[in-house]
Amino acid sequence: MRRTTLAAVTAAALLALTACSSDDGGDDDKATPATAGKHMSAPAADDRAGLEAAVRDYTTAFFKPDATAGYNALSKRCAAEIDKAAYTTQVETASKQYGAQAVKSFKVDQLSGDMARVSYGVGLPLFDQKQQPWVREGGEWRYDAC
């Protein structure tokens, strides 16, 4: 029973970290008809630096585990959808199974105004992220892949 519960929690943790990270053309696609299919211009250095710092901080918090910091990095939309107690269990489980992890590769795929998509990895293919959505709220980049 304990192994089944641990497996379920681990699966939930993986889902939380990887949710909505693929670009499947679904509702999570932030492109509008006016921007769909157009080439995005290169992001300004300050926007890129702030975004990268937010992604690195979130990933570090997720695996540390620092559930408070990780949960506080969620967008308002994600915080409304993700239960804090369940999130805490997810980060604690991920930390126990995989230890502390940090971003080793990072790329801004798209950056337009207050919305971005990034790809990054921590050295474990299971956690590689592709086209993961992030949103800037109140001047701070927030994880928006819920």
Side-chain angles (χ1 to χ4, degrees):
M1 174 83 172
R2 184 177 175 136
R3 285 186 184 183
T4 302
T5 302
L6 182 58
V9 171
T10 300
L14 295 175
L15 181 62
L17 190 61
T18 62
C20 300
S21 61
S22 66
D23 189 11
D24 62 0
D27 292 337
D28 67 330
D29 190 358
K30 303 294 189 213
T32 64
T35 61
K38 290 186 178 180
H39 176 69
M40 298 281 189
S41 61
D46 59 327
D47 291 331
R48 178 180 294 239
L51 177 58
E52 183 173 354
V55 170
R56 288 180 181 279
D57 290 348
Y58 176 78
T59 303
T60 298
F62 190 89
F63 288 103
K64 190 172 186 174
D66 185 345
T68 299
Y71 194 82
N72 289 341
L74 300 179
S75 67
K76 289 177 187 174
R77 182 179 72 83
C78 287
E81 291 183 22
I82 299 171
D83 177 71
K84 190 172 184 176
Y87 182 85
T88 298
T89 300
Q90 292 169 353
V91 298
E92 288 173 353
T93 300
S95 176
K96 285 178 187 172
Q97 288 194 328
Y98 301 101
Q101 300 293 324
V103 173
K104 293 185 176 162
S105 64
F106 178 84
K107 177 184 171 204
V108 176
D109 300 308
Q110 296 176 327
L111 179 58
S112 180
D114 290 335
M115 292 190 273
R117 288 194 177 266
V118 299
S119 295
Y120 61 97
V122 298
L124 299 170
L126 180 64
F127 293 106
D128 286 351
Q129 302 301 307
K130 303 287 184 216
Q131 298 283 324
Q132 186 180 68
W134 284 72
V135 63
R136 189 170 26 209
E137 296 174 339
E140 300 291 326
W141 286 104
R142 306 279 179 194
Y143 174 92
D144 197 44
C146 53

